[in-house]
Amino acid sequence: MGQQRRTLPLGAELLHRPRVAQLIEQGLKQPLLMVTAAPGYGKTHEMASYLAGADVRLGWMRVTRMDSLTHHFWESLLHTLRPEFPAMAGKMAEIGFPGNLSAMKRILRIASEEIDGGALAVLVLDDFDLMENEEILHLLEAWSGAGLENCCLVLMGRSDACMKSIARAIPGTAARLTTEQLKFTRDEMRARFRGLHIQLPREDEARLYRESDGWPLMLDLLARQMKRGAGGAAPALSRDLLLLQKMFDKESYSCYPPEMRRVLLRLSLPGDIVLSLVERLEEETGLAIRPVLQAHMYVTYESERGRFTFQNMYREFLQGRQSLLSAEERRRTYCAAGDCAMEREELYHAAEYYEQGECFDGMLEAAVRLFEKYASRQALRAEYLLEKIRKLPESVTRNNYLAGSIRACMHIQMLQPEEAMAVLAEMENSLLAEDSPLARERLGEVYERMAGVQMLLHREIFVDYYKKAGQYLPGGAGKRSRDTMRFMNTSVLSVQDYEPGSLRRMEQKLHEGITDIVRVENGAEGFDYLFSTEAAYHTLDLDRAEYMARCAIEAAMGGRQYDIVCNALLVLARVDCMRGDYQSLCGHIETIRRYAADWNRWETDEMMRYAVNWFALAMDDSRDISSWIVTAESEIGSKMPLAIGREELLYAEYLLRIEKYEKMIAFLDNVKDWFMAKGWIERVNANVLLAAAYGRMDKHRQAAELLEEAYAMTVHNGIIAPFVERGRDMCSLLEQVSAAGTCTLDAAWVREVSEKAAACQKQMDQMRSLHAQGTKRPPISAVRLTERETETLHYLSQGLTREEIAEALCISVNTVKTYIKSIYSKLGAVNRADAVRLGLSAGLIR
């Protein structure tokens, strides 16, 4: 532990309270311990005091408001874990923040492997009530709900509002330590005063405890003041913060010279006080600041991180006096803090500090570096960078290529193509006027982005922009890697309009321009064939779809475009579904699994996740559906609109299968506009799914309207696969709308789709039968547990630890582990929470 232990926020002369230590010890036996108390109740000191002497492997992280930014939190977390768990932190750093369930599962698997065995692993997140990021809360919810053995997550803050969702992930197994439990008892108050050699008359002691209500900070400050000779308890004790502020003022502020007071006020401006900032202020003021901070009662120094930290209430006291600083002092302090943050690669901090100090050149530099570092990551908030760019004055952004580039890219990710095109057109005009070698290179990059926007708008002119880009970028876009993944969560099918021949024209344009596309993008080999593959499949030209898919795979393998390979394999699997070839279908899904394992990239993991769950739904095998699918709705808020696509359609399919029609309709109504802006074929699929749901609910008018809209979008280009894939639902829908007598669908089209949908349903029924025959696992209702296993499962549902279960059953902990392993195997469970859920549903426990 060594260095990490020395950074614990321990207080001098801290009263040892066995009662609280016992509560903490019991709480750490659960996977989650929530410590919530108002300021001054000693939650941090009590936890640190206990852990300093406990046999645990510890990571202690103090949360700041900046940690609500996803990647800032991830970097802080890795820094916290690295001293005690270097291997785990290294592996987690390679994966990055888990913005999807596949990555999250890998993180949890790594944590389980690294934490298993050895002393109890404790991760403390202090000041957790500052956390406002839903995506981070979802990660911690998954961490808590994973049932990691020998591990406890401790969340500490002023309130438990943001902890409740995490606690819900593990019902019955979360421990709590509250304000009431952290109050001083009369005996503890008496012991604290005696420890400082203060003897209070019984009447003053009673009044002191009554007026203070056991508030540890007030009692401690009063005791210290009395020890310095202030005399007994004040005549009118109060819990008002004014009393504390007077104490802070007297003992830790007014006692310093005026110049040092101003320094303390300046240091309270940024969230963290890094050593390099202190050194800058020492150089500026000529004062010896470090010795003062090191001796300060309300300042903690973390030597490993090179940071000083004010005690929360003392910092609030200082911030209440910041009006004493001049505007120039505030500006210089924030700019210096921004410089220090940039040196440490703390880019979110830097952007915030520069903004506060109105150092706009620095703010732009921080935004650029943030964009370059995180632009390819789904969790980056486009709104954040756009907000920063908008706040820059025109004098900074006028004709600034980097500012324009960020704005354009963020508008694209937000599915605002017209806004992106307007920004790019401004940049084009500016660069044409400049006419320098650097301007010409940047102009090529602008045309490349314009091509992407035109493709997003489904306009055939995108090929012309790629040709322009190729003229200015003969060597390709220098910042693009050869194995950049481009197509993961959407169909590549695109048409400019719904008129006859649009699909064929777009396909021809793409094949004409593929050479320029590959050269400019430094990749995308096989993209043209993949487009043809999807076009052929959607028109049910299955032989051509198979041929084009194999061409796409061959071309993409040569260019390391693994996303195109997996997409082509997925189309081959859908072809197999139409043909009823179960063995070939299984082979293609297994190939995607194998490629994902061999390539070991998060992009191919996402493709594999989608393929496996699509197969499970197609085979109507709910037991093979991954847990991520049921949380897809909660992940929407953390996704860029550009990242919303077929995973969401798969979730809607899942809701349709489990007959959650109202929920499915509400979900698709919330996201279907993104489909229209991003990929019209997804909008067609959304309409068909919605029509199926309304049809099952006997709402025939709504079903007919959705069906007719989807028909109008596809009929002139021969696209029928989305309708045929619906099988029995589509046959029923077409029968309903035809019987209503108001059908505007072409009669020949209705006959063709009805016949092919019926044939498709027949093939699916046969394949599902084969799949069920090959499934050896018994249904959950047939699972039988031994008496001991049933007792163990009951105790698991009550939140008992393995040690407590062993004691209750009078057996060894290793035997309990064996029972738990057997329970998991029989139920097909992945963790404690899953086993309890399955046991309850099967009636094995009550």
Side-chain angles (χ1 to χ4, degrees):
M1 221 45 199
Q3 186 85 6
Q4 180 73 2
R5 285 293 171 86
R6 285 196 292 273
T7 67
L8 285 173
L10 292 168
E13 303 177 12
L14 185 69
L15 175 67
H16 176 60
R17 294 203 279 168
R19 175 185 63 84
V20 177
Q22 186 176 10
L23 291 172
I24 293 173
E25 181 180 5
Q26 291 298 317
L28 292 176
K29 292 180 180 179
Q30 302 298 337
L32 175 64
L33 170 59
M34 298 182 295
V35 185
T36 55
Y41 279 85
K43 54 186 177 295
T44 298
H45 285 172
E46 294 291 350
M47 182 62 66
S49 177
Y50 176 83
L51 293 174
D55 180 22
V56 297
R57 295 172 293 168
L58 175 64
W60 186 294
M61 174 180 164
R62 183 179 178 187
V63 176
T64 69
R65 293 200 181 278
M66 293 299 296
D67 287 314
S68 283
L69 298 168
T70 306
H71 292 291
H72 190 278
F73 171 83
W74 191 243
E75 290 166 1
S76 299
L77 179 63
L78 295 179
H79 180 89
T80 300
L81 295 174
R82 199 166 284 117
E84 192 66 46
F85 306 98
M88 180 169 75
K91 293 175 182 177
M92 289 168 65
E94 291 178 4
I95 296 173
F97 184 88
N100 57 72
L101 198 71
S102 177
M104 192 176 292
K105 285 185 176 180
R106 292 170 63 190
I107 293 291
L108 294 175
R109 184 168 60 249
I110 290 167
S112 178
E113 293 169 353
E114 296 291 332
I115 289 172
D116 190 33
L120 176 69
V122 179
L123 172 61
V124 180
L125 300 182
D126 198 1
D127 289 336
F128 190 72
D129 48 322
L130 298 178
M131 179 56 63
E132 298 175 347
N133 187 310
E134 291 293 332
E135 193 171 8
I136 294 171
L137 293 177
H138 183 58
L139 165 65
L140 296 174
E141 178 183 331
W143 182 287
S144 301
L148 298 176
E149 300 289 349
N150 204 35
C151 177
C152 180
L153 173 65
V154 180
L155 305 179
M156 301 201 302
R158 300 184 182 191
S159 70
D160 63 357
C162 61
M163 306 179 192
K164 290 179 180 177
S165 64
I166 300 173
R168 285 196 294 270
I170 44 174
T173 57
R176 296 174 183 271
L177 192 57
T178 65
T179 295
E180 287 298 318
Q181 293 169 309
L182 287 170
K183 286 180 179 179
F184 270 31
T185 65
R186 286 281 293 272
D187 289 339
E188 288 168 346
M189 182 191 76
R190 191 177 298 116
R192 180 59 176 147
F193 277 74
R194 286 177 180 171
L196 294 173
H197 308 292
I198 298 172
Q199 186 68 42
L200 288 176
R202 181 169 297 181
E203 306 81 47
D204 285 347
E205 181 185 287
R207 186 171 75 250
L208 177 62
Y209 188 75
R210 183 176 62 252
E211 296 294 334
S212 68
D213 196 26
W215 189 9
L217 178 60
M218 170 173 279
L219 290 168
D220 187 65
L221 290 175
L222 286 170
R224 291 177 185 275
Q225 187 158 307
M226 291 175 191
K227 185 179 180 181
R228 289 195 295 269
L237 297 171
S238 171
R239 294 175 61 190
D240 194 280
L241 286 176
L242 181 60
L243 176 62
L244 291 179
Q245 291 182 354
K246 289 180 179 178
M247 293 181 181
F248 282 142
D249 190 2
K250 181 177 180 181
E251 65 184 33
S252 301
Y253 180 70
S254 295
C255 57
Y256 296 111
E259 296 82 1
M260 186 60 68
R261 292 180 214 164
R262 303 190 79 80
V263 167
L264 290 173
L265 294 179
R266 292 178 67 180
L267 289 173
S268 69
L269 290 169
D272 285 329
I273 313 168
V274 295
L275 185 57
S276 55
L277 176 60
V278 174
E279 291 171 348
R280 285 171 184 258
L281 292 185
E282 284 183 328
E283 183 178 352
E284 177 187 329
T285 63
L287 298 173
I289 301 171
R290 274 175 290 182
V292 172
L293 294 176
Q294 288 166 345
H296 201 291
M297 181 185 300
Y298 301 114
V299 177
T300 302
Y301 180 59
E302 300 179 37
S303 57
E304 182 187 349
R305 301 181 68 188
R307 294 177 189 269
F308 292 95
T309 306
F310 284 127
Q311 191 271 345
N312 280 348
M313 294 190 69
Y314 182 71
R315 181 168 181 252
E316 290 176 7
F317 159 79
L318 292 175
Q319 289 180 328
R321 284 161 172 71
Q322 285 173 1
S323 60
L324 299 174
L325 294 173
S326 69
E328 179 60 20
E329 284 176 310
R330 293 171 61 87
R331 191 194 66 77
R332 290 202 313 270
T333 303
Y334 276 122
C335 290
D339 291 342
C340 294
M342 287 289 277
E343 291 169 3
R344 299 169 72 96
E345 284 293 307
E346 296 172 347
L347 303 177
Y348 284 109
H349 272 302
E352 296 296 329
Y353 294 152
Y354 283 138
E355 180 182 349
Q356 292 291 329
E358 297 184 349
C359 179
F360 297 118
D361 289 335
M363 185 176 164
L364 176 58
E365 183 184 355
V368 169
R369 286 170 63 178
L370 270 170
F371 173 74
E372 292 174 345
K373 188 172 184 179
Y374 297 129
S376 63
R377 301 192 186 182
Q378 178 180 321
L380 175 68
R381 294 288 187 268
E383 297 97 327
Y384 179 83
L385 281 178
L386 281 173
E387 178 192 2
K388 293 299 174 220
I389 297 298
R390 289 191 192 106
K391 288 182 177 180
L392 294 171
E394 188 180 354
S395 60
V396 176
T397 58
R398 187 187 301 115
N399 299 330
N400 188 298
Y401 172 79
L402 295 175
S405 181
I406 293 175
R407 286 172 59 206
C409 288
M410 293 304 98
H411 280 307
I412 292 170
Q413 293 201 44
M414 292 296 293
L415 283 180
Q416 298 166 346
E418 300 295 353
E419 291 88 338
M421 205 64 188
V423 173
L424 291 168
E426 291 176 7
M427 296 171 66
E428 177 190 19
N429 293 332
S430 176
L431 292 168
L432 285 170
E434 185 177 336
D435 193 27
S436 67
L438 178 59
R440 285 192 288 274
E441 180 182 343
R442 288 177 169 177
L443 189 58
E445 294 173 355
V446 167
Y447 285 135
E448 177 206 8
R449 290 204 175 99
M450 284 181 162
V453 174
Q454 295 301 332
M455 189 178 292
L456 191 60
L457 293 167
H458 319 302
R459 294 173 180 164
E460 297 166 14
I461 197 175
F462 80 90
V463 173
D464 298 331
Y465 279 106
Y466 269 119
K467 291 184 182 299
K468 283 186 178 182
Q471 295 171 8
Y472 291 94
L473 296 171
K479 294 182 180 179
R480 290 295 184 95
S481 168
R482 284 289 298 166
D483 58 357
T484 298
M485 304 287 102
R486 295 167 177 81
F487 312 106
M488 290 169 290
N489 195 30
T490 186
S491 168
V492 302
L493 209 60
S494 178
V495 296
Q496 184 163 335
D497 53 50
Y498 309 141
E499 296 305 312
S502 291
L503 181 60
R504 179 62 63 188
R505 288 197 307 274
M506 182 66 86
E507 184 179 357
Q508 290 173 345
K509 278 284 188 179
L510 191 56
H511 281 268
E512 289 172 10
I514 191 63
T515 302
D516 291 306
I517 295 172
V518 169
R519 183 173 69 250
V520 170
E521 294 280 359
N522 269 331
E525 287 92 339
F527 175 39
D528 50 343
Y529 289 118
L530 180 61
F531 188 99
S532 295
T533 300
E534 291 201 8
Y537 172 77
H538 280 84
T539 56
L540 289 190
D541 188 348
L542 300 185
D543 290 340
R544 184 170 185 265
E546 182 177 4
Y547 172 75
M548 287 296 178
R550 300 196 183 284
C551 291
I553 291 170
E554 182 179 355
M557 287 290 286
R560 302 197 301 274
Q561 302 297 282
Y562 307 131
D563 55 338
I564 291 179
V565 174
C566 288
N567 270 289
L569 285 166
L570 187 59
V571 177
L572 286 175
R574 295 173 74 179
V575 168
D576 292 332
C577 264
M578 285 292 183
R579 289 173 169 168
D581 191 339
Y582 177 71
Q583 294 303 321
S584 181
L585 169 60
C586 293
H588 286 128
I589 298 299
E590 286 306 311
T591 301
I592 295 174
R593 284 183 188 267
R594 186 175 71 251
Y595 282 173
D598 291 345
W599 292 325
N600 193 29
R601 293 176 58 113
W602 70 266
E603 297 98 333
T604 50
D605 277 350
E606 282 197 345
M607 286 294 303
M608 182 270 291
R609 176 183 74 174
Y610 175 83
V612 168
N613 284 279
W614 169 84
F615 175 71
L617 279 174
M619 294 300 103
D620 204 18
D621 186 356
S622 60
R623 295 194 59 179
D624 272 348
I625 295 173
S626 302
S627 59
W628 73 267
I629 201 169
V630 300
T631 61
E633 188 167 9
S634 65
E635 292 181 357
I636 286 290
S638 66
K639 281 189 173 184
M640 298 288 193
L642 190 65
I644 294 173
R646 61 186 176 193
E647 284 188 358
E648 285 66 41
L649 287 172
L650 196 64
Y651 174 62
E653 175 81 37
Y654 166 75
L655 293 176
L656 185 69
R657 292 292 175 90
I658 62 174
E659 300 180 354
K660 300 284 187 181
Y661 306 133
E662 296 286 358
K663 187 173 184 179
M664 189 204 87
I665 290 168
F667 174 72
L668 282 183
D669 281 344
N670 189 41
V671 300
K672 67 181 182 180
D673 286 341
W674 295 126
F675 295 147
M676 197 62 181
K678 172 173 178 278
W680 63 272
I681 197 66
E682 276 91 353
R683 178 61 178 260
V684 170
N685 279 290
N687 272 26
V688 173
L689 278 167
L690 286 166
Y694 279 121
R696 292 188 185 187
M697 298 166 68
D698 293 328
K699 295 183 177 181
H700 305 311
R701 181 181 58 80
Q702 294 95 322
E705 289 174 356
L706 288 160
L707 198 59
E708 289 171 2
E709 182 184 345
Y711 167 82
M713 295 172 71
T714 56
V715 64
H716 296 305
N717 286 284
I719 294 172
I720 58 173
F723 306 92
V724 172
E725 287 174 330
R726 296 264 58 84
R728 187 176 292 110
D729 275 323
M730 184 53 56
C731 292
S732 176
L733 274 174
L734 292 176
E735 184 177 345
Q736 290 169 7
V737 298
S738 297
T742 58
C743 178
T744 62
L745 307 181
D746 178 73
W749 183 91
V750 170
R751 285 195 300 273
E752 180 186 12
V753 171
S754 296
E755 291 170 2
K756 291 184 175 178
C760 178
Q761 186 64 56
K762 183 177 180 180
Q763 302 281 24
M764 293 299 300
D765 290 341
Q766 292 174 349
M767 287 191 293
R768 287 170 181 168
S769 176
L770 290 172
H771 183 76
Q773 292 171 21
T775 302
K776 303 299 183 184
R777 292 171 301 180
I780 191 68
S781 58
V783 172
R784 294 290 179 267
L785 300 181
T786 66
E787 182 179 350
R788 280 299 203 192
E789 288 169 349
T790 302
E791 291 175 335
T792 301
L793 182 58
H794 168 74
Y795 285 128
L796 287 174
S797 71
Q798 299 301 307
L800 272 64
T801 64
R802 292 176 298 184
E803 290 76 14
E804 290 169 338
I805 295 172
E807 183 179 349
L809 296 178
C810 299
I811 56 179
S812 71
V813 174
N814 284 335
T815 303
V816 172
K817 290 181 181 179
T818 301
Y819 287 152
I820 292 174
K821 184 177 181 181
S822 177
I823 291 168
Y824 285 10
S825 176
K826 288 182 178 181
L827 294 176
V830 294
N831 55 39
R832 174 194 293 251
D834 199 29
V836 171
R837 178 182 61 80
L838 292 170
L840 288 169
S841 66
L844 299 172
I845 53 174
R846 299 186 185 279

